[in-house]
Amino acid sequence: QVQLVESGGGLVQAGGSLRLSCGVSGSDFRLNTMGWYRQAPGKLRELVARITPDRTTNYADSVKGRFGISRDNAKNTVYLQMNNLKAEDTAVYYCNAEFTIYSNRAVYWGQGTQVTVSS
């Protein structure tokens, strides 16, 4: 019914920037809160940023002031602008979205995109 496709990851040197995108395809759904999570080797998956339909946001303390989450409701797409990247930002980044489908709530995950920051 619903699929999340991520893009924009890659290799960048410390201090550089990347912009991740996550497009949602499907039908018969209402898109609610969306977010980005990340998981580094040997660590638990953690929340990076979230954004509600009315564009209320929250961020992990480690990325505040450097990352910005946004969404284009007309395109069913969420973005993560990452600036001043640090080596500790290296991880697989996953898109997450909450949906209402036939009056039921569901959660879907993207496939993940690798972000590697060289110091």
Side-chain angles (χ1 to χ4, degrees), residues 98-117:
E98 300 174 3
F99 300 85
T100 299
I101 306 174
Y102 299 118
S103 300
N104 296 314
R105 296 185 67 246
V107 179
Y108 288 84
W109 292 89
Q111 81 283 2
T113 184
Q114 177 70 49
V115 172
T116 302
V117 183

Side-chain angles (χ1 to χ4, degrees), residues 59-73:
Y59 298 89
D61 289 340
S62 60
V63 306
K64 287 181 179 177
R66 299 188 298 120
F67 291 10
I69 188 170
S70 61
R71 64 191 291 164
D72 186 334
N73 291 333

Side-chain angles (χ1 to χ4, degrees), residues 32-85:
N32 303 126
T33 298
M34 305 180 74
W36 290 93
Y37 292 71
R38 67 186 181 186
Q39 187 167 21
K43 297 184 178 180
L44 297 175
R45 188 172 299 186
E46 65 174 349
L47 173 69
V48 177
R50 302 181 75 201
I51 183 167
T52 68
D54 66 355
R55 294 177 173 82
T56 299
T57 61
N58 66 284
Y59 298 89
D61 289 340
S62 60
V63 306
K64 287 181 179 177
R66 299 188 298 120
F67 291 10
I69 188 170
S70 61
R71 64 191 291 164
D72 186 334
N73 291 333
K75 297 180 179 179
N76 288 333
T77 301
V78 63
Y79 305 92
L80 185 68
Q81 179 67 45
M82 304 185 293
N83 299 320
N84 192 24
L85 283 162

